Amino acid sequence: MKIQKPTDLTEELKMGTTQMNTSSAPLVNGLISAELKTHRPRVMSKSGHSNVRIDKVDGIYLLYLQDLWTTVIDMKWRYKLTLFAATFVMTWFLFGVIYYAIAFLHGDLERDHFPPKHMPCVKEVNSLTGAFLFSLESQTTIGYGFRFITEECPHAIFLLVAQLVITTLIEIFITGTFLAKIARPKKRAETIKFSHCAVITKHNGELCLVIRVANMRKSLLIQCQLSGKLLQTYETKEGERILLNQASVKFHVDSSSESPFLILPLTFYHILDESSPLRDLTPQNLREKDFELVVLLNATVESTSAVCQSRTSYIPEEIHWGYEFVPVVSLSQNGKYVADFSQFEQIRRSVDSTFYSMDSEKQKLEERYRQEEERERGLRTMLLQQSNV
């Protein structure tokens, strides 16, 4: 059998890929930077935001209004502050107009033609501006004592009670959404850092897909669980084409699937065995594949007990075969562990020479089997379509 040398594999990788070369991946002290710019469409952005657009939904605005709490919480801060200020101003003005209408109907605005012993509904409300100020003072409980309601108009008293009850409920709702937006664990999830790229290397004798995760705060995350979803086009035996089929990708830390202790940057491994949805990856077809690996980290914030989720995704151009991550954790002279994040994104060639040993005949046989399987699947699809006709 012919053993391929590392240098030969390097040349083959350079020829077989258009995204990963020395010009697109600059060398820094012999290390390859993981800063790669790709334009492939993706479901999940690197920052964890969904790129899926919801379109042509009947009654979508009604759906948002039915779930008003979530709608207000998801608002951007500039819209939320505008809504907060507009709510107060609008309620002041609305009830001010009603007070003005009551004063007008009661004849309180005709000061020169007051009948004897005339008692206005609201003292010193002689204009729309005065009614607005009375509404503002009542709702904010300022109570200057210059404008006040009298016993003359029961409907004005009822309106004052209704204003205080309604506006109190509105203030509770707006204030609650402010607190919920500030306290939600989304910001905590942003302090979880994923490596920009993933690598395929050997770990404990197994071929593994490797990513790196770090907690950027000193506060701990407990019950951490990292999982992955492989999104790719899939065709069933019946000929149905599923555009984004989801397959589970399991990760572990040092051959353990238990909750990791995320106090230092950790390396997560996915074994590329027969049960892996990525089992058919090779150095030659990696860049030709069309898939997206979405990685999700679920954890509980120790200080608030809130559950947060951090997400990212990897496409074939961001997965490097035959590389490994540069160590970032070291022991200082004073006996403290130090995590050097300047090396967090850096990768280097794998030092395991056996990793580059490949059986070309086995690869050709596997490729032939895959082609035969695809040919049989296409034949079954064509026969099925003919039988339906």
Side-chain angles (χ1 to χ4, degrees):
M1 296 184 182
K2 184 178 179 181
I3 305 299
Q4 190 174 8
K5 296 182 181 179
T7 54
D8 297 335
L9 178 61
T10 303
E11 296 297 328
E12 187 175 4
L13 286 173
K14 290 180 179 179
M15 295 176 61
T17 176
T18 58
Q19 298 292 335
M20 178 64 184
N21 50 45
T22 55
S23 61
S24 62
L27 294 175
V28 182
N29 295 328
L31 305 177
I32 297 183
S33 173
E35 301 283 342
L36 294 178
K37 296 182 179 179
T38 58
H39 303 284
R40 185 193 294 261
R42 57 204 310 163
V43 177
M44 189 73 62
S45 66
K46 295 298 291 184
S47 59
H49 294 89
S50 173
N51 290 328
V52 178
R53 186 183 67 180
I54 301 176
D55 196 10
K56 298 181 181 179
V57 180
D58 294 335
I60 187 171
Y61 295 107
L62 180 60
L63 295 176
Y64 281 124
L65 290 177
Q66 290 177 349
D67 189 13
L68 189 59
W69 176 264
T70 305
T71 302
V72 176
I73 291 179
D74 290 341
M75 280 184 177
K76 295 182 178 180
W77 277 109
R78 55 180 177 269
Y79 301 132
K80 195 173 183 66
L81 292 173
T82 303
L83 176 65
F84 181 76
T87 301
F88 282 99
V89 175
M90 290 175 62
T91 53
W92 294 338
F93 182 76
L94 176 62
F95 284 98
V97 170
I98 300 176
Y99 285 122
Y100 180 79
I102 291 175
F104 176 79
L105 296 175
H106 193 256
D108 297 341
L109 304 181
E110 302 175 358
R111 302 185 61 180
D112 298 334
H113 303 86
F114 276 171
K117 297 182 180 180
H118 177 80
M119 180 64 68
C121 293
V122 182
K123 282 284 189 180
E124 301 302 331
V125 174
N126 305 316
S127 62
L128 181 60
T129 304
F132 175 79
L133 293 175
F134 173 74
S135 175
L136 185 152
E137 294 169 13
S138 300
Q139 185 171 326
T140 57
T141 65
I142 294 176
Y144 290 122
F146 182 70
R147 297 179 180 86
F148 58 90
I149 201 165
T150 65
E151 301 176 359
E152 182 69 18
C153 302
H155 46 281
I157 299 175
F158 175 79
L159 178 63
L160 178 62
V161 174
Q163 178 185 6
L164 296 180
V165 172
I166 293 173
T167 55
T168 299
L169 293 177
I170 294 176
E171 291 175 11
I172 292 174
F173 179 83
I174 298 296
T175 305
T177 57
F178 263 86
L179 294 177
K181 189 175 181 67
I182 294 173
R184 64 179 179 172
K186 180 180 179 180
K187 295 300 180 182
R188 181 63 178 90
E190 293 178 357
T191 59
I192 300 174
K193 184 179 180 62
F194 290 92
S195 58
H196 186 272
C197 69
V199 298
I200 296 179
T201 186
K202 277 194 172 182
H203 177 70
N204 290 335
E206 299 282 354
L207 189 62
C208 299
L209 173 71
V210 185
I211 63 172
R212 178 178 278 174
V213 184
N215 178 18
M216 306 298 291
R217 295 180 66 94
K218 289 187 176 181
S219 59
L220 297 181
L221 294 172
I222 58 179
Q223 298 179 354
C224 298
Q225 295 292 337
L226 188 135
S227 60
K229 292 292 182 181
L230 183 66
L231 308 180
Q232 60 182 349
T233 302
Y234 174 74
E235 186 174 346
T236 64
K237 295 181 180 179
E238 294 76 19
E240 180 184 2
R241 190 169 182 268
I242 302 176
L243 185 60
L244 290 175
N245 181 61
Q246 298 187 20
S248 297
V249 179
K250 297 181 179 180
F251 286 88
H252 63 267
V253 182
D254 295 330
S255 301
S256 172
S257 59
E258 299 178 357
S259 300
F261 188 50
L262 196 60
I263 191 173
L264 291 171
L266 292 181
T267 304
F268 288 82
Y269 304 90
H270 168 68
I271 300 177
L272 301 177
D273 54 11
E274 293 299 325
S275 62
S276 171
L278 296 170
R279 58 185 175 273
D280 59 342
L281 285 184
T282 63
Q284 291 77 19
N285 67 10
L286 176 59
R287 295 296 183 267
E288 300 173 358
K289 292 290 184 178
D290 185 12
F291 66 84
E292 181 178 353
L293 177 60
V294 178
V295 180
L296 308 98
L297 178 66
N298 297 297
T300 302
V301 183
E302 184 184 34
S303 56
T304 62
S305 298
V307 179
C308 67
Q309 184 182 86
S310 185
R311 302 173 293 270
T312 190
S313 71
Y314 300 93
I315 55 178
E317 285 79 2
E318 297 166 347
I319 301 176
H320 306 314
W321 190 288
Y323 287 83
E324 63 183 9
F325 285 106
V326 176
V328 296
V329 180
S330 60
L331 189 63
S332 63
Q333 296 181 353
N334 55 3
K336 291 185 177 181
Y337 288 97
V338 179
D340 183 8
F341 279 91
S342 65
Q343 305 291 328
F344 185 82
E345 299 287 355
Q346 302 299 323
I347 58 177
R348 65 188 179 190
R349 281 288 184 184
S350 176
V351 296
D352 188 359
S353 59
T354 62
F355 175 76
Y356 303 100
S357 300
M358 296 178 294
D359 190 345
S360 58
E361 295 181 0
K362 180 180 178 182
Q363 288 186 357
K364 292 179 180 179
L365 186 61
E366 291 178 350
E367 185 67 25
R368 189 176 66 184
Y369 284 155
R370 283 194 293 269
Q371 292 177 357
E372 291 178 356
E373 184 179 356
E374 293 177 357
R375 192 180 302 110
E376 292 178 359
R377 184 183 301 172
L379 181 61
R380 286 196 299 268
T381 302
M382 184 176 63
L383 293 176
L384 182 61
Q385 292 175 351
Q386 291 177 355
S387 62
N388 292 334
V389 174

